[in-house]
Amino acid sequence: MDEETQRLDAPQPLDTLTRRAGRWLARSAAPAERHTTAVVADPYDRVAWRDVYAQSAALRELAAQLLTRHAYAPDLLADVFLCAYQAAPRLRDRAVMAPSHLLHHQVVAALTQSPDFAALHRDTAGDAYAAALAVLAQSSALRGLLERSREARERSGRADQARQRAEAAAADVGEALRQAAEAAGGQGEVPAPAVAAVRRAVEAAEAAEDEARREDGAAAQAMAAAVPGIRSAARTAASAAAEAVRQEAALMRAWGVEAGETERMPFDERARLAERLRSGRLAAWADLIGRFRQMAAGERARRVEHATGELVGVTLGDDLSRVIPSELAVLGVPELRAVFAARYAAGELMLYDSRGEQNTGKGAIVACVDTSHSMYAEGPGGITREAWSKACALALLDQARQAGRDFVGILFSAADKLQVFRFPAGRPAPVTEVLDFAETFLGGGTDFQRPLGTAAKILEEEFDDASRARGDIVLITDDACEVSENWTRAWNAVKRRLDFRLFGIAVATPDTATATATGSVLESLCDNLRTVDDLTDVHTTADLFRVI
């Protein structure tokens, strides 16, 4: 033992020893708090994450996959979820993060700063399901990010371990001082062995602190080198998440599922619905269905009570909204105002006369949709006739809901194949039932008598039960068939009694001209018959939604 060491290890007053090791006392008494989550979150946000993680097998599977690359993968997924879920995500200061989790901080910071994050956040804030979907949509980018940042993660892990060893060494100094105080007794003089023990603890703490600084520096360098890749991956991840959330929201809207309805759904139910919408028979035609519904909504918005329609001349009356300009000019002459008032009282003002379409339907809307084998064929633009007809029928369902009218969907083909879906106005239309209606396809031949007879019977029951007449039947088909004379007489009789209308939509086929020609079955049955030549043009039936 050299002279300096002997001097340091000689008996010393307790206060002198305490001053020499004082800086380690503060560290051992209150080690700095190190957080493992980058996003500041309250208990409710944490509960939201735990609940969605417990309910989503896909999230748990993703966490298990990422654990093979990163020991703290669940913490990273929680941070990514929270920054999407919270209304105003706030990041912790880097200084209070555990070195092992600094990568999380960098990833979340890059995500929130990416150009697509704002658009993503508008759809996910406060919606645990959408935020979870955003996490899953980023899975590929997160895997690549963790793979490319392996060195930074390893360096951060070593820095974390070195920092823990430094804190343990500082705690050892505190323990050595406590034992030295006990050995000093009431004399205040610490024996040489206790002094030596304190010295060794201090030297170990200094060495551990030096190692921690070196590891922190190496980790910082590795992280700085990884930052460009992290930012690039974060941009890719945010873009993929925004697109996935946007597509699912558009799919829900196309099928008439409102945002408030999905937010009230249990997670599993919403996940099953989303999967069904993505993988169902008509999933590829969701855009067409959405355009039809938007077009129908637009036609409803164009309706104005007492609309004048097409100008056809001048008439007499007292409707001030249709007074011609020359009559209004009379009001500019004080002496003639009394004359104007007298003519107004007598209903003799000159008015623009017009002819408009009347919205007379009051009873149920019944859509008879042909699902015979030929409707499965592709039409223009690769769109099947079935997809077009179902899109039109779903728009009619919206029409009925908006007008407070019952809606009945009748799917038909051959005489022995018919299925009825009822959507009363007095209760919500569950999206699962709407999907059942849209996805059912019967196949086979074509028969008009049974579906039209069923539609008339439904309107007759409504008339008898609720005294509602003037219903509307819409027949959507790509074919024609014969009807018997007896059936035609019965049809005409019930039609006169119930005062309903039959609209026909003939989907274009090589035989359409014959099927819709003057004197054909379709032409004689329908009050209003139109032919659709371009299945991609939803506006070919726009006027239908103004008069039904």
Side-chain angles (χ1 to χ4, degrees), residues 302-310 319 321-322 352 354-359:
R302 288 175 55 188
R303 287 182 179 173
V304 180
E305 189 175 4
H306 309 306
T308 55
E310 179 186 3
D319 186 350
S321 66
R322 294 190 289 136
Y352 285 122
S354 62
R355 179 176 60 227
E357 295 168 324
Q358 299 298 314
N359 176 27

Side-chain angles (χ1 to χ4, degrees), residues 393-465:
L394 291 175
L396 288 169
L397 169 59
D398 287 350
Q399 192 84 350
R401 307 302 293 180
Q402 291 293 325
R405 301 168 68 183
D406 291 349
F407 176 83
V408 180
I410 299 178
L411 304 181
F412 71 93
S413 57
D416 60 339
K417 293 185 177 181
L418 182 140
Q419 196 162 345
V420 178
F421 296 83
R422 294 176 180 266
F423 299 93
R427 68 173 179 85
V431 66
T432 51
E433 294 181 20
V434 174
L435 287 174
D436 288 341
F437 168 61
E439 293 181 336
T440 299
F441 188 81
L442 302 177
T446 305
D447 174 79
F448 287 168
Q449 292 186 179
R450 189 179 177 199
L452 290 177
T454 301
K457 185 176 181 180
I458 289 170
L459 293 180
E460 187 172 26
E461 290 172 352
E462 183 184 44
F463 177 78
D464 293 340
D465 293 342

Side-chain angles (χ1 to χ4, degrees), residues 4-18:
E4 179 65 19
T5 301
Q6 288 178 348
R7 185 181 67 79
L8 291 174
D9 291 349
Q12 296 181 22
L14 180 60
D15 57 346
T16 301
L17 191 62
T18 301

